[in-house]
Amino acid sequence: MHLGQNLLLGKRKYLLGLILFLFVSVICVAFIMGGSDDFDISRREVLLRRIGHELLLQSGDSTSRVLPVKKIAENEYRITFENDLTFQPDSLVNTTRRLLAKDPLARDYVVNVLNCSNSSVAYGYAISKNTKDDIVTCMGRKQPKGCYMINVKFKPVGINTAKNGYLLGSLPFFSICWFSFFEIC
């Protein structure tokens, strides 16, 4: 009888070790699955250059360059131009909506057109996945020719949410395993 109890106690230790191992594995997988979306980020930068290109064409400029897109923060980019330009807010909004619809990570974003001289906001708008939350103003007013920079800030999505979801999802699994272990004891 004493040998049987020791054997059962030894099995409990292995069961506890297995449960702990599974819990740690689930947490590790959750953090590894976030991964890096380098391809999607590179694709986003190409789409931003395309926005700049189409804006220049709409301004009547087919020869000057869109300067390299700069990443100025984790989810914020700046489009700059070689020469002064003018733009129609309606066209800018429609162009960004159309092109950024091709970006799987761009659901919510804010676009600010800044004056080069003092970085004041000349025009801005916000686009949301839920179109009723869009903030678009001053449509139909052509902006004067000048030096402009376009900042596009994207709402962070995906990686942090996925990690938190897997972490929180693993907690009920761990609790069930923990309580079933104590029921066996």
Side-chain angles (χ1 to χ4, degrees), residues 7-178:
L7 189 59
L8 185 59
L9 184 62
K11 287 182 181 178
R12 286 184 192 155
K13 288 180 183 177
Y14 285 117
L15 181 62
L16 178 62
L18 178 64
I19 291 170
L20 189 59
F21 173 74
L22 288 174
F23 177 70
V24 170
S25 299
V26 167
I27 289 175
C28 289
V29 167
F31 284 100
I32 291 171
M33 284 185 70
S36 174
D37 297 319
D38 288 339
F39 180 78
D40 289 332
I41 290 170
S42 296
R43 183 175 167 83
R44 174 182 286 174
E45 289 175 358
V46 172
L47 289 172
L48 291 170
R49 286 189 62 76
R50 179 71 188 261
I51 290 169
H53 168 72
E54 290 196 17
L55 193 59
L56 283 174
L57 291 177
Q58 292 166 9
S59 178
D61 184 350
S62 61
T63 58
S64 66
R65 299 179 309 135
V66 176
L67 298 176
V69 173
K70 295 178 185 172
K71 186 173 184 176
I72 56 176
E74 180 62 30
N75 290 306
E76 190 170 1
Y77 298 85
R78 178 170 290 161
I79 306 168
T80 55
F81 304 94
E82 182 178 36
N83 294 325
D84 292 355
L85 69 133
T86 183
F87 67 94
Q88 187 81 21
D90 311 54
S91 299
L92 178 61
V93 171
N94 292 334
T95 301
T96 55
R97 273 188 179 152
R98 179 174 46 85
L99 291 174
L100 291 179
K102 298 175 183 180
D103 183 352
L105 302 176
R107 293 195 175 98
D108 297 315
Y109 54 92
V110 174
V111 176
N112 283 314
V113 181
L114 308 173
N115 290 310
C116 294
S117 59
N118 57 10
S119 294
S120 62
V121 177
Y123 179 71
Y125 58 95
I127 301 296
S128 179
K129 176 175 59 174
N130 186 354
T131 55
K132 70 178 182 144
D133 295 331
D134 288 354
I135 303 169
V136 181
T137 60
C138 302
M139 300 297 272
R141 298 180 186 178
K142 189 172 182 176
Q143 298 295 316
K145 189 168 188 169
C147 180
Y148 296 110
M149 305 177 288
I150 301 174
N151 278 11
V152 183
K153 184 169 189 166
F154 297 95
K155 182 177 181 182
V157 291
I159 296 170
N160 292 337
T161 306
K163 287 181 185 178
N164 292 339
Y166 283 111
L167 179 61
L168 293 175
S170 66
L171 291 177
F173 170 75
F174 179 68
S175 342
I176 290 169
C177 292
W178 187 261

